[in-house]
Amino acid sequence: MKVTDIDGWDKRGNPQKGFYMDGYLKSNLDGIPRFLKKGYDCVGIISGMGKVRIGKSTEGIQVGAYLAWLLAGGKMLCHQEVIDNKLKWIVDKIIKPKQKVRYRLKENIVFSAEQLMKTATKLYDKYGPNQVIVYDEGRQGLDSARAMESVNKGMEDFFQECGFMGHVILIILPNFFKLHEDYSIARSLFLINTYADKQFNRGYFSFYNEYQKEKLFYFGKKRIGIRAKYNATNPNFWGRFSGWTPFDKKEYESLKKKAIERKRKTRQQAKWKRQRDSAIYLIKKFAGISNRVISDELSIVSGQRISPRSIDYAISNITHQKIVED
C-alpha cells in the first residue's frame, strides 16, 4: 500500500505522492507515537542476514521516513478487504501532518555511535524529544570482536547519556546476533531482517516483535551458521519493500564512505600511537636514559618538538596497559 503524502515514485519511475510499504509493517509502526508519549524511547533494529548490500539501509531509511511523518502529525486511515480472493489493504484517507516533517540526510542520519550522541543532543536541544535518528553502522568488518565491542560500548554510552530524550533510534547493522543483548533484547522494540530471494533479488524482509525477537536471539545464539540462527523461530510476518528513499542515494553512499574512512583512519592512528608509546617505553626500560634526553633526541630526529611530559604520558600509557593485562 502507498503511505504518506511524501514525494515518491512508482515502479516505472513516475512521480507520485507516497511510497510503498507493507500494510502489516505500517500497522505495527502506527503505535509508536503513542508509545513515545508514555515517556519511553523507541529502538528498532534493521539487520541484513549477516550480509552487506542487501537493502537494509533502504528499508531502515523508509521506516524512518514513515515514523518522522507520523510524529509530525500525519495519519493513515485504512482497512483490509478481500479482492480477487486476496486480502488487501485499502487506504481510506490520508491526513497530512500538522507540523513540518523533520527528516533530512545530514540531520537525521548518522554513521557512528559518536555521531549518534551528538545528533541526539543537537536535535533534542533544537526541536525537543521524539526525533527520528537512523544509525547506519556501515562497516563491513562488524563480525570482528573489536568492531562490535566498539559498537556495543557506543550504545552503552548513548543510552546512559541520551536515553531520557525519547527519540526513535533505528540501528542498521549486518548481524542482529552480534549486538549485545542489553540493546538487541531489553532496549529494542522490534527487529526487521532484510534478505534476498533465491535469485538474489533484494526487497524482502521479516518482522519480529518484542516477543519473537527475544526468542530468535536466545534460540538463534545456540545454532551454528547465519541462516540457522535467523531460522531459529518464525517471524510475525514477511513482506516486501521497494528501492525508494527520500534521499539522493549517491550522496548517502558518499557520506557513508567518508564515515567508514574516518573510522579506518582513527583505528590506524590508535595503532600507530600504541606502537610509538611501546617504542618509547622500551627505550626507557633498556637504554636507561632520562625522559628529558629521550624527548630531546626524538625532537631532533622527528623535526617536531616533543616535550618530556609527552614522554611521561607515553610511558604511563604502556605501564597502565600492562597492569590491566596482568
Side-chain angles (χ1 to χ4, degrees):
M1 62 184 295
K2 284 195 297 183
V3 296
T4 80
D5 60 343
I6 297 173
D7 291 335
W9 62 79
D10 60 19
K11 293 180 180 179
R12 297 179 179 83
N14 299 316
Q16 67 174 17
K17 286 292 183 179
F19 62 95
Y20 172 80
M21 177 174 281
D22 179 89
Y24 290 105
L25 176 58
K26 174 257 178 204
S27 63
N28 274 270
L29 299 175
D30 283 346
I32 289 178
R34 294 192 300 274
F35 179 77
L36 293 173
K37 287 181 179 179
K38 296 182 182 295
Y40 298 106
D41 56 14
C42 173
V43 179
I45 303 171
I46 294 87
S47 69
M49 206 74 175
K51 298 181 179 180
V52 296
R53 314 301 300 177
I54 204 71
K56 58 186 179 295
S57 295
T58 298
E59 174 68 337
I61 291 170
Q62 289 182 13
V63 171
Y66 183 64
L67 290 174
W69 185 82
L70 287 178
L71 290 168
K75 291 183 180 180
M76 295 284 302
L77 305 180
C78 56
H79 69 280
Q80 286 184 292
E81 188 175 319
V82 177
I83 301 176
D84 297 330
N85 296 322
K86 292 183 179 180
L87 187 62
K88 296 185 178 182
W89 289 89
I90 307 299
V91 177
D92 299 314
K93 187 178 181 181
I94 297 178
I95 300 176
K96 295 183 179 181
K98 299 177 182 178
Q99 303 174 9
K100 184 177 181 180
V101 179
R102 298 191 181 98
Y103 192 63
R104 299 183 180 89
L105 175 56
K106 294 183 179 180
E107 192 171 52
N108 299 84
I109 312 297
V110 300
F111 300 98
S112 69
E114 294 77 18
Q115 266 190 302
L116 176 61
M117 294 183 67
K118 291 179 182 178
T119 298
T121 303
K122 183 178 180 180
L123 291 176
Y124 183 82
D125 292 341
K126 191 173 182 180
Y127 303 119
N130 304 161
Q131 307 302 315
V132 177
I133 306 174
V134 177
Y135 170 23
D136 190 346
E137 183 49 83
R139 285 178 287 184
Q140 297 186 14
L142 277 178
D143 282 340
S144 70
R146 181 175 294 180
M148 278 313 303
E149 181 181 347
S150 174
V151 172
N152 285 316
K153 180 62 169 64
M155 296 309 301
E156 178 185 355
D157 295 341
F158 170 78
F159 286 119
Q160 285 180 351
E161 296 193 24
C162 306
F164 72 95
M165 296 178 183
H167 293 323
V168 175
I169 310 297
L170 300 176
I171 305 172
I172 302 173
L173 77 171
N175 194 341
F176 164 68
F177 295 96
K178 295 293 183 178
L179 196 60
H180 193 279
E181 66 179 274
D182 285 351
Y183 319 116
S184 59
I185 301 303
R187 292 303 296 259
S188 62
L189 199 60
F190 61 86
L191 164 68
I192 299 174
N193 181 54
T194 61
Y195 58 94
D197 64 12
K198 294 180 180 179
Q199 285 72 45
F200 306 106
N201 297 310
R202 302 178 184 87
Y204 295 85
F205 75 88
S206 51
F207 182 93
Y208 303 81
N209 64 12
E210 268 192 293
Y211 178 68
Q212 289 301 103
K213 171 172 56 67
E214 184 173 352
K215 287 176 61 178
L216 178 71
F217 186 84
Y218 289 120
F219 293 155
K221 278 282 191 178
K222 300 175 182 178
R223 296 191 176 187
I224 299 174
I226 195 68
R227 288 189 176 275
K229 291 180 183 296
Y230 276 101
N231 288 324
T233 189
N234 291 326
N236 296 93
F237 58 89
W238 294 268
R240 297 288 307 271
F241 63 94
S242 69
W244 173 85
T245 69
F247 310 129
D248 181 270
K249 288 188 176 182
K250 290 184 178 179
E251 185 179 4
Y252 185 91
E253 290 298 328
S254 176
L255 290 175
K256 181 189 285 190
K257 184 178 180 181
K258 289 178 181 178
I260 294 173
E261 188 61 32
R262 282 197 299 270
K263 293 173 187 174
R264 187 179 295 115
K265 288 181 178 179
T266 300
R267 290 197 302 271
Q268 187 64 49
Q269 288 170 353
K271 181 180 178 180
W272 289 339
K273 183 179 182 300
R274 171 74 174 168
Q275 292 173 347
R276 182 206 66 184
D277 291 351
S278 298
I280 293 173
Y281 169 79
L282 291 174
I283 292 171
K284 175 69 175 180
K285 181 177 181 181
F286 293 105
I289 29 184
S290 68
N291 293 358
R292 167 68 68 178
V293 173
I294 294 174
S295 69
D296 290 343
E297 293 299 325
L298 287 179
S299 297
I300 294 171
V301 173
S302 66
Q304 295 180 339
R305 172 61 180 157
I306 300 175
S307 67
R309 185 174 182 180
S310 298
I311 303 301
D312 292 338
Y313 183 72
I315 293 172
S316 65
N317 279 343
I318 300 302
T319 305
H320 176 72
Q321 182 67 31
K322 285 175 65 62
I323 293 173
V324 171
E325 290 176 352
D326 293 342

